[in-house]
Amino acid sequence: MNSIQKNLQSPSSISEDDFLVSFEKRVQLMEDSIEIELLMKKLQFLGMNFDPFQNKHESECERILEQLDLSRHLLNPYLATNIVLRLLDITEERLNNLKQ
């Protein structure tokens, strides 16, 4: 399991807000810009290809959802897009801070 997967695993009882805070803390601890860029690409892929209103998702989306432990946080289709966008913002901000 790579460090992104290990760092982003969360307990099953965590709320969406707690998950976002936890995600941000973990991303802030990442020092490797390549690792953060990979995370960003995965989240961008979800943003472009994940349809929260469909029950069946393409296999790459499913794999990313599992790797980042996002599946249960994206069950509500009305919140799913918001959550992915917030994760992208957090990741992009960290990447920009590292590059400065």
Side-chain angles (χ1 to χ4, degrees), residues 10 13 27 33 36-37 39 41 44 47 50-53 57 61 65 71-72 76 81 84 89 92 99-100:
S10 58
S13 63
V27 170
S33 62
I36 297 171
E37 286 175 355
L39 175 59
K41 287 181 183 192
Q44 287 171 335
F50 176 72
D51 182 354
F53 289 96
H57 306 291
C61 286
L65 292 172
S71 297
R72 64 196 151 83
N76 180 337
T81 302
V84 171
D89 283 344
E92 182 178 23
K99 289 184 175 182
Q100 291 180 7

Side-chain angles (χ1 to χ4, degrees), residues 13-33:
S13 63
I14 192 168
S15 73
E16 285 80 11
D17 289 335
D18 290 340
F19 176 75
L20 289 167
V21 169
S22 176
F23 178 89
E24 184 170 14
K25 288 178 183 176
R26 290 180 181 124
V27 170
Q28 290 299 323
L29 294 174
M30 292 178 175
E31 296 293 331
D32 184 4
S33 62

Side-chain angles (χ1 to χ4, degrees), residues 22-75:
S22 176
F23 178 89
E24 184 170 14
K25 288 178 183 176
R26 290 180 181 124
V27 170
Q28 290 299 323
L29 294 174
M30 292 178 175
E31 296 293 331
D32 184 4
S33 62
I34 294 172
E35 183 178 25
I36 297 171
E37 286 175 355
L38 177 61
L39 175 59
M40 182 96 163
K41 287 181 183 192
K42 288 179 180 183
L43 291 169
Q44 287 171 335
F45 184 87
L46 281 180
M48 296 295 290
N49 298 287
F50 176 72
D51 182 354
F53 289 96
Q54 289 187 357
N55 290 333
K56 184 95 170 145
H57 306 291
E58 74 176 70
S59 61
E60 186 63 24
C61 286
E62 288 290 338
R63 187 171 32 239
I64 293 170
L65 292 172
E66 287 177 24
Q67 287 175 350
L68 302 180
D69 197 25
L70 285 172
S71 297
R72 64 196 151 83
H73 297 291
L74 302 182
L75 292 175

